[in-house]
Amino acid sequence: MKGQTDVALVAQESEVKRLLELDTVPWYKRKNLRKLYLCLIPAVLGVEMTSGYDGSILNGLQAVKPWLDYFDNPGGALLGLITAAFSIGAVVAIPFVPYTNDRIGRKHSITIGSSIIVLGVILQTAAVNIEMFLVSRLILGIGIPFCISGASQLIAELTHPRHTSVINGLFNESWYAGAIIAAGVTLGTFNMPNNWAWRIPSLLQVAPSLLQLTFIWFIPESPRWLVSRDRSDEAFEILVKYHGEGDRESPLVLAEFAEIQTTVRFEMENSKRRWVELLQTPGNRRRVAVAVCVGFFSQWSGNGLVSYYLAKVLATVGISDKRKQNQINLGLTCWNLVTGITGAFLTKKLNRRTQYMIAFVGMTVVFACWTGASADYNNTKNQQAAGAVVGMIFVYYMFYTIMHPLTYVFITEVFPFVHRSKGVGIVQLATRAAASFNQFVNPIGLSALGWKYYIVYVVWLAIETTIIWFLYPETKGPTLEELGRLFEDENPMAKGKMDPDAERGYSEADVKGETIHMEK
């Protein structure tokens, strides 16, 4: 596909990339970078734990008798609405998220979202009827996009460029860490004879947000955001401290800062940062199409069946024992965390398109086998077929988690700084809209069609794979700033990269002089 060669050539000519190849000191031997990453784990990396916890807790609570009894055994459309409320709340909030990110910063977008989530958890834990439970889940959903948008951009714009793709991949995989905790907690409270069997799991959903509100004050703001707010001195000091370990004449830091300052200033001068700009050029329209697909495909690939309705899926092959369902749920989430972390590290080795294609081709084939095994059990009640379905679920998720870490890695590379918040917002909007639809429709489809409902996903996965092949660009290689201009140019090598001569030979005096000139 056109774009792969261009991206490789731009990366080869990049001064920042050249300097990165010379910089071989590992992160754990850098005092300042080590401290930054250790604070990022609770403050930023764990943001998606809240989403993962929510998805898994709904799975677990469907097997907890006190929860079923207290809310009069919700099912069908009501169960779909309870599950979808989290995503519906997110959809309501998303139009406001980019403005928050761009005006008050990446860090404080996280603090706002985390505070809203704390409120939602309090109401969910104290729920006395189904209406209160629904409202609490809507509030939880309102908070999560502020956190995810701020965190994914902060990682992309703050971390050392050698580590950005892996860290952003691990950020998305924290979903499974939250899911494991929720699955373990609901399994541990399963035998409680009272309402604490579901109130304790509900209360513990506050843990990631409390960690974020505690540790966010120990990490700096995005240097790129600071440059966009005419605070270039602060941005330079952050790069010196964490990317240069205090060396103010570090060639890497100087090249990075020159590139960031030039690109962000150019984008700010040539954009009013309006939503309509995303539809005004072929490059931006393609970015929007990619973002919509990334969001929808992350939810419309069959994973929504297991993420929220594993108990019902297992029931279609005769596994109806509640404790066994919870044990499979816990085992699957542990497996997903391991394979997801592996997928995050693959971002260093594989091209983005290659990683996506391996995942979607694999999911399509495995889901077809899963459907066949389910049909066999339905016709013969063969226990080996039931076991095959469970096995196929695990294999399917191995391929899904190859793709899963790419979501925010890819989208922060596709969108330039000036529209990055909106790009992440579009992904979130598409993700939550798709999840809301799925969460409402999936239980109805499973109840009405049983295993035959899986055929819909087999066909749709094949369509998704085809779209990815023709639409998704390759983005691995160049820096964020180089990628920001790549999509608009007929000849990226001529117009889409920094002039190497403009990047070489910067001293601190040059950089500071350019900063003063810009601020005037």
Side-chain angles (χ1 to χ4, degrees), residues 58-203:
L58 259 294
N59 250 335
L61 291 182
Q62 290 174 55
V64 173
K65 191 174 185 301
W67 184 81
L68 294 171
D69 292 342
Y70 192 84
F71 294 111
D72 197 23
N73 197 23
L78 179 58
L79 178 60
L81 182 59
I82 292 171
T83 308
F86 186 82
S87 294
I88 293 170
V91 169
V92 171
I94 283 168
F96 307 99
V97 172
Y99 295 103
T100 304
N101 263 273
D102 290 338
R103 281 163 174 74
I104 69 171
R106 306 340 189 183
K107 279 179 60 175
H108 292 302
S109 183
I110 297 172
T111 60
I112 289 173
S114 297
S115 300
I116 295 171
I117 289 170
V118 170
L119 174 62
V121 169
I122 293 171
L123 292 177
Q124 181 173 275
T125 304
V128 296
N129 52 44
I130 198 66
E131 291 81 9
M132 187 173 176
F133 195 83
L134 272 171
V135 169
S136 70
R137 291 186 50 71
L138 284 169
I139 293 173
L140 286 169
I142 289 171
I144 194 64
F146 288 95
C147 294
I148 291 176
S149 184
S152 61
Q153 292 173 88
L154 188 59
I155 292 169
E157 297 171 1
L158 172 64
T159 57
H160 194 285
R162 183 184 293 279
H163 312 132
T164 298
S165 66
V166 172
I167 295 175
N168 229 335
L170 291 173
F171 159 74
N172 215 28
E173 296 319 293
S174 72
W175 194 99
Y176 293 110
I180 288 171
I181 295 170
V185 169
T186 51
L187 186 62
T189 61
F190 178 80
N191 289 322
M192 285 187 175
N194 53 43
N195 289 324
W196 286 108
W198 64 269
R199 293 194 191 274
I200 288 176
S202 295
L203 178 63

Side-chain angles (χ1 to χ4, degrees), residues 219-249:
I219 60 175
E221 183 54 88
S222 159
R224 289 164 172 88
W225 182 81
L226 290 170
V227 169
S228 77
R229 308 301 290 183
D230 292 336
R231 294 163 62 182
S232 295
D233 286 344
E234 295 175 57
F236 181 70
E237 294 302 326
I238 289 169
L239 292 174
V240 167
K241 181 175 181 179
Y242 295 108
H243 293 192
E245 288 296 310
D247 181 3
R248 306 180 68 83
E249 293 294 334

Side-chain angles (χ1 to χ4, degrees), residues 23-44:
D23 185 9
T24 58
V25 180
W27 67 271
Y28 51 84
K29 291 186 178 180
R30 302 167 183 255
K31 179 182 177 182
N32 293 337
L33 195 61
R34 183 173 66 243
K35 179 182 176 181
L36 173 65
Y37 288 175
L38 290 177
C39 289
L40 277 176
I41 293 173
V44 176

Side-chain angles (χ1 to χ4, degrees), residues 264-280:
V264 171
R265 182 174 63 182
F266 175 83
E267 291 180 11
M268 296 294 291
E269 290 174 350
N270 289 275
S271 171
K272 295 183 179 179
R273 311 181 87 172
R274 298 177 301 177
W275 282 95
V276 71
E277 291 178 9
L278 293 176
L279 302 176
Q280 290 179 335

Side-chain angles (χ1 to χ4, degrees), residues 277-290 488:
E277 291 178 9
L278 293 176
L279 302 176
Q280 290 179 335
T281 68
N284 279 344
R285 287 194 291 271
R286 186 180 180 189
R287 289 183 177 104
V288 171
V290 169
E488 302 298 340

Side-chain angles (χ1 to χ4, degrees), residues 393-408:
I393 291 173
F394 279 77
V395 176
Y396 162 84
Y397 264 98
M398 179 184 72
F399 285 105
Y400 179 81
T401 51
I402 290 175
M403 170 273 290
H404 192 249
L406 283 174
T407 301
Y408 296 107

